[in-house]
Tab-separated table of all heavy atoms in Angstrom:
chain	number	residue	atom	x	y	z
A	210	ALA	N	115.445	102.025	110.129
A	210	ALA	CA	114.628	101.998	108.925
A	210	ALA	C	113.161	101.988	109.318
A	210	ALA	O	112.803	101.660	110.452
A	210	ALA	CB	114.959	100.783	108.062
A	211	ALA	N	112.319	102.335	108.363
A	211	ALA	CA	110.887	102.369	108.624
A	211	ALA	C	110.123	102.163	107.334
A	211	ALA	O	110.631	102.415	106.239
A	211	ALA	CB	110.474	103.693	109.270
A	212	TRP	N	108.891	101.715	107.484
A	212	TRP	CA	107.943	101.640	106.394
A	212	TRP	C	106.795	102.594	106.668
A	212	TRP	O	106.246	102.605	107.774
A	212	TRP	CB	107.396	100.224	106.220
A	212	TRP	CG	108.379	99.251	105.653
A	212	TRP	CD1	109.225	98.437	106.331
A	212	TRP	CD2	108.603	98.993	104.263
A	212	TRP	NE1	109.964	97.682	105.467
A	212	TRP	CE2	109.600	98.005	104.179
A	212	TRP	CE3	108.056	99.498	103.078
A	212	TRP	CZ2	110.069	97.507	102.963
A	212	TRP	CZ3	108.525	99.000	101.869
A	212	TRP	CH2	109.516	98.023	101.823
A	213	TYR	N	106.455	103.382	105.666
A	213	TYR	CA	105.295	104.249	105.687
A	213	TYR	C	104.323	103.797	104.606
A	213	TYR	O	104.689	103.046	103.698
A	213	TYR	CB	105.695	105.702	105.424
A	213	TYR	CG	106.451	106.376	106.542
A	213	TYR	CD1	107.792	106.101	106.767
A	213	TYR	CD2	105.824	107.305	107.368
A	213	TYR	CE1	108.494	106.727	107.786
A	213	TYR	CE2	106.517	107.942	108.385
A	213	TYR	CZ	107.849	107.647	108.585
A	213	TYR	OH	108.542	108.277	109.595
A	214	ARG	N	103.099	104.278	104.694
A	214	ARG	CA	102.149	104.019	103.625
A	214	ARG	C	101.224	105.212	103.463
A	214	ARG	O	101.020	105.993	104.393
A	214	ARG	CB	101.331	102.749	103.878
A	214	ARG	CG	100.359	102.831	105.048
A	214	ARG	CD	99.712	101.474	105.281
A	214	ARG	NE	98.751	101.507	106.367
A	214	ARG	CZ	98.151	100.437	106.874
A	214	ARG	NH1	98.423	99.225	106.376
A	214	ARG	NH2	97.277	100.563	107.865
A	215	ARG	N	100.687	105.343	102.256
A	215	ARG	CA	99.737	106.397	101.967
A	215	ARG	C	98.590	105.813	101.165
A	215	ARG	O	98.786	105.355	100.029
A	215	ARG	CB	100.400	107.541	101.207
A	215	ARG	CG	99.448	108.703	100.924
A	215	ARG	CD	100.174	109.889	100.292
A	215	ARG	NE	100.777	109.547	99.025
A	215	ARG	CZ	100.146	109.539	97.869
A	215	ARG	NH1	98.848	109.856	97.811
A	215	ARG	NH2	100.792	109.230	96.760
A	216	ALA	N	97.419	105.829	101.755
A	216	ALA	CA	96.208	105.399	101.066
A	216	ALA	C	95.652	106.575	100.268
A	216	ALA	O	95.935	107.734	100.570
A	216	ALA	CB	95.180	104.892	102.071
A	217	PRO	N	94.850	106.300	99.245
A	217	PRO	CA	94.285	107.383	98.435
A	217	PRO	C	93.532	108.401	99.274
A	217	PRO	O	92.697	108.042	100.106
A	217	PRO	CB	93.340	106.648	97.480
A	217	PRO	CG	93.922	105.282	97.359
A	217	PRO	CD	94.457	104.975	98.730
A	218	GLY	N	93.848	109.666	99.076
A	218	GLY	CA	93.176	110.733	99.784
A	218	GLY	C	93.586	110.916	101.229
A	218	GLY	O	92.970	111.720	101.936
A	219	GLU	N	94.591	110.193	101.674
A	219	GLU	CA	95.023	110.272	103.059
A	219	GLU	C	96.479	110.691	103.151
A	219	GLU	O	97.228	110.635	102.179
A	219	GLU	CB	94.817	108.932	103.770
A	219	GLU	CG	93.374	108.461	103.810
A	219	GLU	CD	93.208	107.172	104.576
A	219	GLU	OE1	94.155	106.756	105.268
A	219	GLU	OE2	92.118	106.577	104.491
A	220	GLN	N	96.865	111.108	104.346
A	220	GLN	CA	98.245	111.478	104.601
A	220	GLN	C	99.106	110.230	104.778
A	220	GLN	O	98.616	109.161	105.144
A	220	GLN	CB	98.346	112.354	105.847
A	220	GLN	CG	97.609	113.677	105.750
A	220	GLN	CD	98.217	114.588	104.713
A	220	GLN	OE1	99.438	114.709	104.611
A	220	GLN	NE2	97.364	115.231	103.930
A	221	ARG	N	100.374	110.384	104.515
A	221	ARG	CA	101.305	109.291	104.746
A	221	ARG	C	101.385	109.001	106.238
A	221	ARG	O	101.449	109.925	107.063
A	221	ARG	CB	102.679	109.659	104.193
A	221	ARG	CG	103.705	108.548	104.271
A	221	ARG	CD	104.964	108.921	103.520
A	221	ARG	NE	105.614	110.093	104.082
A	221	ARG	CZ	106.655	110.696	103.532
A	221	ARG	NH1	107.160	110.249	102.383
A	221	ARG	NH2	107.187	111.758	104.119
A	222	GLU	N	101.375	107.724	106.592
A	222	GLU	CA	101.435	107.334	107.983
A	222	GLU	C	102.546	106.326	108.216
A	222	GLU	O	102.897	105.542	107.325
A	222	GLU	CB	100.098	106.741	108.449
A	222	GLU	CG	99.733	105.426	107.775
A	222	GLU	CD	98.506	104.767	108.379
A	222	GLU	OE1	98.109	105.135	109.496
A	222	GLU	OE2	97.946	103.864	107.720
A	223	LEU	N	103.073	106.336	109.407
A	223	LEU	CA	104.094	105.380	109.795
A	223	LEU	C	103.449	104.028	110.063
A	223	LEU	O	102.515	103.925	110.856
A	223	LEU	CB	104.840	105.868	111.033
A	223	LEU	CG	105.917	104.940	111.598
A	223	LEU	CD1	107.061	104.778	110.601
A	223	LEU	CD2	106.438	105.477	112.925
A	224	VAL	N	103.974	102.993	109.425
A	224	VAL	CA	103.474	101.640	109.603
A	224	VAL	C	104.327	100.878	110.609
A	224	VAL	O	103.817	100.261	111.546
A	224	VAL	CB	103.442	100.878	108.263
A	224	VAL	CG1	103.013	99.425	108.468
A	224	VAL	CG2	102.518	101.578	107.278
A	225	ALA	N	105.622	100.899	110.402
A	225	ALA	CA	106.537	100.162	111.261
A	225	ALA	C	107.901	100.817	111.220
A	225	ALA	O	108.321	101.326	110.186
A	225	ALA	CB	106.647	98.698	110.835
A	226	ASP	N	108.570	100.793	112.337
A	226	ASP	CA	109.872	101.429	112.473
A	226	ASP	C	110.796	100.508	113.239
A	226	ASP	O	110.377	99.883	114.228
A	226	ASP	CB	109.728	102.765	113.204
A	226	ASP	CG	111.056	103.438	113.481
A	226	ASP	OD1	111.647	103.151	114.547
A	226	ASP	OD2	111.493	104.249	112.649
A	227	ILE	N	112.033	100.412	112.785
A	227	ILE	CA	113.021	99.645	113.521
A	227	ILE	C	114.296	100.466	113.633
A	227	ILE	O	114.942	100.786	112.641
A	227	ILE	CB	113.286	98.260	112.886
A	227	ILE	CG1	114.318	97.480	113.706
A	227	ILE	CG2	113.707	98.378	111.428
A	227	ILE	CD1	114.412	96.013	113.319
A	228	THR	N	114.611	100.858	114.836
A	228	THR	CA	115.885	101.491	115.137
A	228	THR	C	116.587	100.575	116.140
A	228	THR	O	117.258	99.622	115.734
A	228	THR	CB	115.680	102.909	115.687
A	228	THR	OG1	114.708	102.889	116.741
A	228	THR	CG2	115.185	103.837	114.588
A	229	SER	N	116.412	100.841	117.416
A	229	SER	CA	116.890	99.908	118.425
A	229	SER	C	115.844	98.840	118.740
A	229	SER	O	116.174	97.713	119.084
A	229	SER	CB	117.292	100.644	119.701
A	229	SER	OG	116.210	101.385	120.224
A	230	ILE	N	114.576	99.221	118.624
A	230	ILE	CA	113.468	98.305	118.822
A	230	ILE	C	112.467	98.496	117.692
A	230	ILE	O	112.561	99.452	116.922
A	230	ILE	CB	112.773	98.512	120.186
A	230	ILE	CG1	112.223	99.935	120.286
A	230	ILE	CG2	113.741	98.219	121.324
A	230	ILE	CD1	111.386	100.179	121.520
A	231	SER	N	111.526	97.581	117.598
A	231	SER	CA	110.503	97.663	116.568
A	231	SER	C	109.237	98.292	117.123
A	231	SER	O	108.809	97.978	118.229
A	231	SER	CB	110.182	96.277	116.017
A	231	SER	OG	111.328	95.690	115.421
A	232	ASN	N	108.637	99.171	116.345
A	232	ASN	CA	107.380	99.806	116.703
A	232	ASN	C	106.419	99.674	115.537
A	232	ASN	O	106.832	99.700	114.374
A	232	ASN	CB	107.589	101.281	117.045
A	232	ASN	CG	108.477	101.481	118.250
A	232	ASN	OD1	108.093	101.185	119.366
A	232	ASN	ND2	109.681	101.984	118.014
A	233	TYR	N	105.129	99.574	115.855
A	233	TYR	CA	104.126	99.357	114.829
A	233	TYR	C	102.921	100.239	115.067
A	233	TYR	O	102.567	100.547	116.212
A	233	TYR	CB	103.668	97.897	114.815
A	233	TYR	CG	104.768	96.921	114.528
A	233	TYR	CD1	105.504	96.343	115.559
A	233	TYR	CD2	105.083	96.572	113.221
A	233	TYR	CE1	106.529	95.450	115.298
A	233	TYR	CE2	106.107	95.675	112.949
A	233	TYR	CZ	106.819	95.122	113.985
A	233	TYR	OH	107.841	94.235	113.714
A	234	ALA	N	102.295	100.632	113.969
A	234	ALA	CA	101.005	101.284	114.077
A	234	ALA	C	100.003	100.314	114.693
A	234	ALA	O	100.071	99.105	114.473
A	234	ALA	CB	100.523	101.740	112.704
A	235	ASP	N	99.066	100.855	115.463
A	235	ASP	CA	98.081	100.001	116.113
A	235	ASP	C	97.315	99.142	115.107
A	235	ASP	O	96.950	98.002	115.401
A	235	ASP	CB	97.098	100.844	116.919
A	235	ASP	CG	97.721	101.443	118.162
A	235	ASP	OD1	98.773	100.945	118.605
A	235	ASP	OD2	97.153	102.412	118.693
A	236	SER	N	97.089	99.670	113.926
A	236	SER	CA	96.294	98.969	112.934
A	236	SER	C	96.970	97.726	112.368
A	236	SER	O	96.304	96.883	111.767
A	236	SER	CB	95.928	99.914	111.786
A	236	SER	OG	97.088	100.406	111.154
A	237	VAL	N	98.288	97.601	112.548
A	237	VAL	CA	99.009	96.464	111.972
A	237	VAL	C	99.667	95.584	113.020
A	237	VAL	O	100.263	94.554	112.663
A	237	VAL	CB	100.068	96.915	110.945
A	237	VAL	CG1	99.438	97.801	109.883
A	237	VAL	CG2	101.231	97.622	111.628
A	238	LYS	N	99.566	95.944	114.280
A	238	LYS	CA	100.184	95.141	115.333
A	238	LYS	C	99.643	93.722	115.317
A	238	LYS	O	98.441	93.497	115.207
A	238	LYS	CB	99.938	95.778	116.700
A	238	LYS	CG	100.764	97.019	116.962
A	238	LYS	CD	100.488	97.581	118.348
A	238	LYS	CE	101.344	98.800	118.627
A	238	LYS	NZ	101.036	99.402	119.945
A	239	GLY	N	100.555	92.777	115.433
A	239	GLY	CA	100.188	91.378	115.411
A	239	GLY	C	100.090	90.784	114.024
A	239	GLY	O	99.968	89.562	113.886
A	240	ARG	N	100.133	91.631	112.991
A	240	ARG	CA	100.020	91.155	111.614
A	240	ARG	C	101.280	91.426	110.791
A	240	ARG	O	101.623	90.630	109.920
A	240	ARG	CB	98.821	91.798	110.922
A	240	ARG	CG	97.487	91.495	111.582
A	240	ARG	CD	96.317	91.982	110.725
A	240	ARG	NE	96.326	93.447	110.579
A	240	ARG	CZ	96.437	94.082	109.417
A	240	ARG	NH1	96.551	93.384	108.284
A	240	ARG	NH2	96.417	95.407	109.377
A	241	PHE	N	101.940	92.547	111.046
A	241	PHE	CA	103.120	92.936	110.280
A	241	PHE	C	104.375	92.779	111.127
A	241	PHE	O	104.346	92.975	112.344
A	241	PHE	CB	103.027	94.396	109.838
A	241	PHE	CG	102.001	94.691	108.781
A	241	PHE	CD1	101.038	93.762	108.409
A	241	PHE	CD2	102.000	95.926	108.150
A	241	PHE	CE1	100.094	94.044	107.439
A	241	PHE	CE2	101.062	96.225	107.181
A	241	PHE	CZ	100.110	95.284	106.821
A	242	THR	N	105.486	92.482	110.471
A	242	THR	CA	106.773	92.383	111.140
A	242	THR	C	107.838	93.063	110.294
A	242	THR	O	107.976	92.758	109.108
A	242	THR	CB	107.186	90.920	111.375
A	242	THR	OG1	106.181	90.250	112.147
A	242	THR	CG2	108.512	90.858	112.129
A	243	ILE	N	108.571	93.987	110.900
A	243	ILE	CA	109.672	94.646	110.216
A	243	ILE	C	110.978	93.989	110.649
A	243	ILE	O	111.157	93.627	111.816
A	243	ILE	CB	109.690	96.163	110.503
A	243	ILE	CG1	110.755	96.863	109.655
A	243	ILE	CG2	109.887	96.453	111.981
A	243	ILE	CD1	110.687	98.386	109.714
A	244	SER	N	111.880	93.821	109.713
A	244	SER	CA	113.175	93.230	110.007
A	244	SER	C	114.212	93.784	109.042
A	244	SER	O	113.875	94.467	108.082
A	244	SER	CB	113.120	91.695	109.920
A	244	SER	OG	112.783	91.270	108.613
A	245	ARG	N	115.462	93.482	109.295
A	245	ARG	CA	116.525	93.944	108.414
A	245	ARG	C	117.643	92.917	108.342
A	245	ARG	O	117.881	92.145	109.275
A	245	ARG	CB	117.082	95.292	108.877
A	245	ARG	CG	117.713	95.254	110.264
A	245	ARG	CD	118.064	96.649	110.745
A	245	ARG	NE	118.262	96.659	112.190
A	245	ARG	CZ	118.288	97.736	112.931
A	245	ARG	NH1	118.132	98.933	112.377
A	245	ARG	NH2	118.467	97.646	114.241
A	246	ASP	N	118.317	92.912	107.216
A	246	ASP	CA	119.487	92.089	106.992
A	246	ASP	C	120.619	93.049	106.672
A	246	ASP	O	120.715	93.563	105.553
A	246	ASP	CB	119.248	91.107	105.849
A	246	ASP	CG	120.399	90.133	105.664
A	246	ASP	OD1	121.546	90.470	106.006
A	246	ASP	OD2	120.147	89.019	105.158
A	247	ARG	N	121.455	93.310	107.651
A	247	ARG	CA	122.519	94.296	107.476
A	247	ARG	C	123.508	93.881	106.390
A	247	ARG	O	124.018	94.731	105.664
A	247	ARG	CB	123.248	94.518	108.801
A	247	ARG	CG	122.387	95.139	109.894
A	247	ARG	CD	123.198	95.354	111.165
A	247	ARG	NE	122.376	95.829	112.268
A	247	ARG	CZ	122.123	97.109	112.511
A	247	ARG	NH1	122.617	98.044	111.729
A	247	ARG	NH2	121.364	97.452	113.548
A	248	ALA	N	123.778	92.587	106.282
A	248	ALA	CA	124.725	92.111	105.283
A	248	ALA	C	124.235	92.388	103.869
A	248	ALA	O	125.035	92.608	102.956
A	248	ALA	CB	124.994	90.622	105.466
A	249	LYS	N	122.918	92.365	103.670
A	249	LYS	CA	122.340	92.603	102.360
A	249	LYS	C	121.828	94.031	102.186
A	249	LYS	O	121.291	94.361	101.129
A	249	LYS	CB	121.193	91.629	102.104
A	249	LYS	CG	121.623	90.171	102.042
A	249	LYS	CD	120.437	89.264	101.753
A	249	LYS	CE	120.869	87.816	101.649
A	249	LYS	NZ	119.720	86.916	101.365
A	250	ASN	N	121.994	94.852	103.219
A	250	ASN	CA	121.485	96.226	103.194
A	250	ASN	C	120.014	96.257	102.794
A	250	ASN	O	119.593	97.073	101.962
A	250	ASN	CB	122.320	97.095	102.245
A	250	ASN	CG	123.731	97.314	102.747
A	250	ASN	OD1	123.953	97.505	103.943
A	250	ASN	ND2	124.693	97.287	101.841
A	251	THR	N	119.252	95.376	103.408
A	251	THR	CA	117.860	95.205	103.039
A	251	THR	C	116.958	95.251	104.267
A	251	THR	O	117.298	94.695	105.309
A	251	THR	CB	117.648	93.877	102.296
A	251	THR	OG1	118.428	93.879	101.093
A	251	THR	CG2	116.188	93.680	101.929
A	252	VAL	N	115.827	95.906	104.113
A	252	VAL	CA	114.790	95.975	105.131
A	252	VAL	C	113.549	95.273	104.595
A	252	VAL	O	113.214	95.420	103.415
A	252	VAL	CB	114.457	97.428	105.496
A	252	VAL	CG1	113.399	97.484	106.581
A	252	VAL	CG2	115.710	98.163	105.947
A	253	TYR	N	112.884	94.521	105.440
A	253	TYR	CA	111.712	93.763	105.031
A	253	TYR	C	110.483	94.193	105.827
A	253	TYR	O	110.582	94.663	106.961
A	253	TYR	CB	111.923	92.265	105.255
A	253	TYR	CG	113.131	91.698	104.553
A	253	TYR	CD1	114.336	91.539	105.228
A	253	TYR	CD2	113.064	91.314	103.221
A	253	TYR	CE1	115.445	91.019	104.598
A	253	TYR	CE2	114.173	90.789	102.580
A	253	TYR	CZ	115.361	90.642	103.273
A	253	TYR	OH	116.460	90.121	102.627
A	254	LEU	N	109.340	94.003	105.221
A	254	LEU	CA	108.077	94.127	105.918
A	254	LEU	C	107.233	92.916	105.565
A	254	LEU	O	106.722	92.809	104.448
A	254	LEU	CB	107.338	95.413	105.547
A	254	LEU	CG	106.050	95.669	106.327
A	254	LEU	CD1	106.363	95.958	107.793
A	254	LEU	CD2	105.260	96.830	105.726
A	255	GLN	N	107.124	91.991	106.507
A	255	GLN	CA	106.275	90.826	106.331
A	255	GLN	C	104.862	91.207	106.732
A	255	GLN	O	104.631	91.638	107.864
A	255	GLN	CB	106.773	89.660	107.183
A	255	GLN	CG	105.925	88.403	107.080
A	255	GLN	CD	105.989	87.765	105.713
A	255	GLN	OE1	107.064	87.620	105.150
A	255	GLN	NE2	104.837	87.392	105.177
A	256	MET	N	103.922	91.043	105.822
A	256	MET	CA	102.545	91.441	106.041
A	256	MET	C	101.660	90.206	105.948
A	256	MET	O	101.529	89.604	104.884
A	256	MET	CB	102.107	92.496	105.023
A	256	MET	CG	103.010	93.726	104.985
A	256	MET	SD	102.416	95.004	103.843
A	256	MET	CE	102.628	94.139	102.283
A	257	ASN	N	101.063	89.837	107.060
A	257	ASN	CA	100.174	88.690	107.131
A	257	ASN	C	98.753	89.141	107.425
A	257	ASN	O	98.523	90.252	107.898
A	257	ASN	CB	100.638	87.710	108.210
A	257	ASN	CG	102.011	87.141	107.950
A	257	ASN	OD1	102.401	86.921	106.802
A	257	ASN	ND2	102.756	86.877	109.020
């Protein structure tokens, strides 16, 4: 799973991705965390 975002007037960009490992855009590293709950079929993005 992954989270993307699109700011006004800009292209959609990858924010965070979780497949086997988690990857983050440089702009959000250390602030955002992607996770998933397989039992609930839910993906989260914690943004601090």
Side-chain angles (χ1 to χ4, degrees):
W212 288 92
Y213 289 76
R214 68 186 181 188
R215 182 174 61 84
E219 300 183 12
Q220 298 294 317
R221 185 171 62 187
E222 66 172 343
L223 178 65
V224 176
D226 176 272
I227 181 168
T228 49
S229 58
I230 60 173
S231 299
N232 297 290
Y233 299 92
D235 289 341
S236 60
V237 306
K238 286 181 178 177
R240 299 189 296 119
F241 290 11
T242 302
I243 186 171
S244 62
R245 62 188 162 195
D246 185 333
R247 295 181 185 272
K249 296 181 178 180
N250 292 321
T251 299
V252 181
Y253 303 97
L254 185 68
Q255 179 67 46
M256 305 183 294
N257 298 326

